[in-house]
Amino acid sequence: MVTEPTSQDYATALDSGSRGVISYPLNFENLAARIQSAAAWSTSLRLAVNREQSEEQQFGGGKMIAVASSKGGAGASTLALHLALEAAQSSGRKVVLLDLDLQKPDQSILLDIPKQRDITDLLPVIDELSPRFVRDVLFEHPSGLSVLLGPK
């Protein structure tokens, strides 16, 4: 949120994975438009994941578990990783760990995996998101866990 958005504000927001910028003071129309845009993106991503599941095998509905912390160093990333690893090993279902820490995404460090592709690689194809695009960005860990890394 900025008082007078500049081109640098937009560039910084996009570099950190934002979907838009809201100017201050807030008004209902701008806020509603940004929320609707985020909801549409979320729906597109969910549809792409559901199509992938139906293409590979039918699991039924999926579950999402969010682990969050208000400050760094509290162990949220480590806890999320261990929950995801346990779910992947014990459930027999496809598990995707999504690292959305915008300040310091560190799942690539915790899993010792190369950070070649991340969630920002999906932005150019957001309007035509498909299981193939999502699969291309996922890192398949030897444990069976798929990881969508946070932005650089």
Side-chain angles (χ1 to χ4, degrees):
M1 193 175 344
V2 296
T3 47
E4 295 179 24
T6 65
S7 59
Q8 182 59 38
D9 292 327
Y10 285 108
T12 302
L14 290 173
D15 286 343
S16 62
S18 297
R19 300 279 305 145
V21 176
I22 299 173
S23 60
Y24 190 80
L26 297 177
N27 68 46
F28 179 77
E29 291 79 20
N30 288 343
L31 189 57
R34 289 292 157 224
I35 291 173
Q36 288 173 344
S37 173
W41 184 81
S42 173
T43 300
S44 296
L45 189 58
R46 186 176 300 268
L47 288 172
V49 169
N50 286 339
R51 278 193 303 259
E52 180 177 328
Q53 285 181 348
S54 65
E55 286 176 2
E56 294 177 3
Q57 27 179 191
Q58 280 298 344
F59 284 127
K63 294 188 190 304
M64 181 188 313
I65 299 173
V67 178
S69 175
S70 61
K71 67 177 216 70
S77 294
T78 303
L79 178 62
L81 172 61
H82 286 279
L83 283 171
L85 285 170
E86 181 61 31
Q89 292 171 357
S90 65
S91 71
R93 298 179 79 177
K94 183 163 179 98
V95 175
V96 177
L97 174 61
L98 175 58
D99 188 356
L100 283 179
D101 185 336
L102 299 178
Q103 292 180 333
K104 190 177 177 193
D106 56 2
Q107 291 299 338
S108 62
I109 296 167
L110 294 173
L111 287 164
D112 192 27
I113 57 178
K115 191 165 187 174
Q116 298 169 346
R117 309 275 317 229
D118 63 41
I119 194 168
T120 60
D121 293 314
L122 293 174
L123 294 176
V125 295
I126 200 66
D127 292 330
E128 54 206 48
L129 198 60
S130 70
R132 183 179 64 87
F133 288 129
V134 174
R135 224 182 355 259
D136 287 346
V137 177
L138 289 176
F139 178 84
E140 301 295 332
H141 191 262
S143 66
L145 177 66
S146 298
V147 184
L148 183 53
L149 296 172
K152 294 176 179 117

